[in-house]
Amino acid sequence: MASDRPTLPPVRLRAEAELARAALAAPLLAGAVRLARWAGPQTRVGAGGELADDQLPAAAEVLGLEPDDDGAAHASEAWRVAVDTGLVTVPEPEGDEDEAAGVTAGEQLALLTKGSPADVLAVWLDGFDAVFADATAPVFDELADLIGEDGEIDVAKLDWDPEAETAFLEGVLGNLYLLTVSEGGSGEGPVPLPALAASMIVPDDMGEPTDDVLEQVSEAMMRLDDQFRVLEPIGLVEYQPVDEALMAEEGEEPVPSVDDEDVSRYGMVRLTPLGLYGIRTRMLEAGVDAPAVGDLTGKGPEALLDGVAHYPSEAARGEVELWLAGREPVAAARELLAAARGADEGSPLRRLHCQQALSLVGAEAEPAVREVLDDPELGGLARVWLAERGAADVPAPPEAMIFWLAVDTIAAQLEMDGDLEELQDLIEGLTGRHDGFFDAVWRVEHPATADVLEAMGRLHRDKRIAKEARKSAFKARSRTDD
């Protein structure tokens, strides 16, 4: 396996303008904007920038909420986002004063109407960071129990490790991201909360979870239930909470059911397109390789073919289509063919992806393809491409080219780590189609000849032919060692 493969599959992000519209529509940011426009010289705040208690009911009404405790709590959360994103600038109380008046509009507020989509998303990301911090903050069941003799909160009594809490939630969101972007993963569908909690708790090599592990999963579920309720209003996820009736049925921490019909009662979560953007941005800031379809658009053909080498098929196709857009077909085909040459370890896979990319160029690539018919590395690829398109006057390949192409094709498939049965079928098809296959192949001047023959010896289902492949591999190594 190549060491430079991306850590994660590439994500297909929505356009920045669409993401910016989603950010502005997120309930929490939208509420923060409304409060920022409402605030003024008479607005009073505490030492931490929080709204004065007696102003919360009015703030709730600005948000279209009842001026009760719930409305005040929602208003307080929206105000916190307004402060943390720079939508408002708050004064600090002077001297012994507990409050100060004179809130002004922050510089970021104007960006939401006059700035670019990127500006809007930058503000939203600041809001996401603030909400993430809230989601990992400790929950005070009995605040009085946490007050020390000096009247301050005794941190030691919190039983809270901020680094562990952050790592846990980042791990959960990372797993949710991977499930969403992986080919064959959850895609657009929601993920059951028990499965997400289990991905963080249950060891990969554990068969049947123990009672202790199931209890940990249940605790993690309830923790995540609280956290996703906090994260949903910023537009990161769509979340169906744990059915509160389960608490009464099964106690404070319900054990997940294995009944698929009931699994939705235990919570379901899905990353939104905006959420994908937000999680990927955090990953990139943390140094994680999290590619996106379109990253290679402005790069050269070598970077394209190497970059898509281990992409899932749909992502690779999308990346190539974006790269080809706006390029002149014949010139693009020539660039791709030139980039496919080489004797390095990654060259067989580049040639395979070059052939696939040329199929997206279409018939207009034919002049460039015919130019390489006599090329020892590209001539076989060119003939296959022309034959697949039903082109006329395709010259028969020399025997040496046939076997060179066979080695190159298998080398590419081995590097892809694809379906084992498909690879075995390919190997057995090649050996069955040509008499004296191994007697010819071990002489092929290709850097991967010996490795390919050794792989054929491992993978061929006919023991006699597998043994013949291993003998040929020994001959090939002996020839190159001389």
Side-chain angles (χ1 to χ4, degrees), residues 253-291:
E253 292 173 358
V255 177
S257 169
V258 295
D259 186 347
D260 288 341
E261 295 180 0
D262 290 336
V263 71
S264 64
R265 298 184 67 197
Y266 293 86
M268 304 287 284
V269 63
R270 183 182 77 86
L271 272 181
T272 64
L274 184 61
L276 277 172
Y277 167 82
I279 299 303
R280 176 178 182 261
T281 300
R282 284 183 69 94
M283 287 179 170
L284 292 176
E285 290 173 350
V288 177
D289 184 9

Side-chain angles (χ1 to χ4, degrees), residues 306-440:
D306 284 334
V308 302
H310 299 287
Y311 277 18
S313 58
E314 286 302 314
R317 181 185 180 92
E319 190 71 64
V320 172
E321 287 175 340
L322 290 173
W323 189 88
L324 290 172
R327 283 180 164 86
E328 195 277 321
V330 174
R334 287 191 179 115
E335 288 185 64
L336 290 168
L337 287 163
R341 289 191 177 93
D344 57 284
E345 185 179 346
S347 62
L349 203 48
R350 282 204 308 278
R351 285 185 279 274
L352 175 63
H353 282 287
C354 174
Q355 183 177 334
Q356 294 169 346
L358 290 173
S359 70
L360 297 177
V361 178
E364 294 170 289
E366 185 168 336
V369 173
R370 286 190 177 276
E371 290 170 2
V372 299
L373 282 170
D374 295 330
D375 188 293
E377 293 181 355
L378 304 177
L381 173 160
R383 285 168 172 79
V384 170
W385 186 89
L386 290 167
E388 287 177 346
R389 302 195 66 82
D393 303 323
V394 181
E399 186 176 80
M401 184 176 287
I402 293 174
F403 291 114
W404 193 95
L405 181 61
V407 170
D408 202 56
T409 301
I410 296 173
Q413 295 296 329
L414 288 169
E415 180 64 15
M416 285 180 69
D417 294 335
D419 182 86
L420 178 60
E421 287 191 12
E422 289 183 6
L423 181 56
Q424 288 176 314
D425 290 343
L426 171 65
I427 289 171
E428 291 168 11
L430 288 170
T431 56
R433 194 179 306 136
H434 302 284
D435 292 333
F437 180 87
F438 292 110
D439 189 48

